[in-house]
Amino acid sequence: MTGIDVDRLRAELTGNAGAYAAVDVVASTGSTNADLREAAAADDPAADRTVLIAETQTAGVGRRARRWSSPKGTGLYLSVLLRPHEVSFANLGSLAVVAGLAVHDTATAVGVDAVLKWPNDVLAGPDRAKCAGILAEAVAGEEFAVVLGIGLNVLPLGERVPSGPGGLAATSLAEQGAAVTDRTEIAVKLLTAFAEREARWRAAAGDLARAGMLDGYRVHCATIGQDVKIMLPDGSSLLGTATGVDGAGQLTLTALDGTVRTVFAGDVVHLRPVGADD
């Protein structure tokens, strides 16, 4: 099984020609997000736009500490440390949208039919199985920072991966007919797409509309237009139609009685179409 070529990644993504300060690849770690959170707060802190990729994770996590399966050598498990001082804390939630669009760009570039599921999933294939998940975490400390994690299944998983919340089965780019499955090439495509979009997002202070990405997200987000059930941390739920996403990346929900409310990604335990198995 071919490993990720860190020399090529550094040649294409760092230095004068690249957008990133540093790129590293490790054979195994608990969680790339946890590693970069630690690096961000170290005495000699890691720089803005530092990338860490692992061949496998032993404690990979998604939203709300859910386990992210990271089979060795089959996916991209990466995190990017960002210090977007131009973006307010209130607008940080839109970073997951930016990352989702970058994953969508990558899937489309290799010929895979993909859509976005608000707030942090990328689904692929006719059955809309999950091929990627996204996790953004603010870093506590004197200097503002955020770690953005992306888990993208590239090659066939080679093991049974449990279905995610709402019964979403796992899939990979290869299983959906990707024309390119070399993980180094996919990493270059993904990180290049993310760098371009993140720069626009940062310049727009985290406002997706100003960054020119809101309309595109609305087009590619399969959640919009669906009747959905949203489970909240207190055990209650919301029912309604997902009618849009705003410039900060939050969902607009029109309830059965016509009431319109904004749903914040951080308040959502699960979101699934009405009628999906609990």
Side-chain angles (χ1 to χ4, degrees), residues 190-250:
L190 174 56
L191 287 167
T192 300
F194 177 71
E196 187 275 334
R197 287 187 177 277
E198 191 271 340
R200 288 162 52 195
W201 171 80
R202 194 179 295 206
D207 186 299
L208 296 171
R210 284 176 53 197
M213 287 184 271
L214 185 55
D215 287 345
Y217 184 81
R218 288 170 172 167
V219 168
H220 299 305
C221 181
T223 306
I224 296 174
Q226 285 187 332
D227 293 332
V228 297
K229 179 180 181 181
I230 298 173
M231 276 63 71
L232 303 176
D234 64 1
S236 64
S237 62
L238 301 173
L239 288 173
T241 302
T243 51
V245 171
D246 66 20
Q250 313 305 342

Side-chain angles (χ1 to χ4, degrees), residues 110-137:
V110 299
V112 171
D113 172 35
V115 296
L116 303 169
K117 176 181 179 290
W118 188 88
N120 71 319
D121 293 334
V122 182
L123 312 181
D127 295 331
R128 297 307 187 214
K130 182 171 177 175
C131 72
I134 295 156
L135 176 65
E137 299 179 291

Side-chain angles (χ1 to χ4, degrees), residues 159-172:
E159 65 178 54
R160 185 183 181 279
V161 176
S163 296
L168 282 175
T171 191
S172 66

Side-chain angles (χ1 to χ4, degrees), residues 79-144:
S79 297
V80 185
L81 170 64
L82 303 166
R83 301 186 185 278
H85 301 293
E86 306 88 339
V87 180
S88 69
F89 187 83
N91 276 352
L92 271 187
S94 59
L95 183 59
V97 168
V98 176
L101 285 167
V103 175
H104 185 273
D105 293 340
T106 304
T108 300
V110 299
V112 171
D113 172 35
V115 296
L116 303 169
K117 176 181 179 290
W118 188 88
N120 71 319
D121 293 334
V122 182
L123 312 181
D127 295 331
R128 297 307 187 214
K130 182 171 177 175
C131 72
I134 295 156
L135 176 65
E137 299 179 291
V139 178
E142 294 182 4
E143 187 176 2
F144 178 54

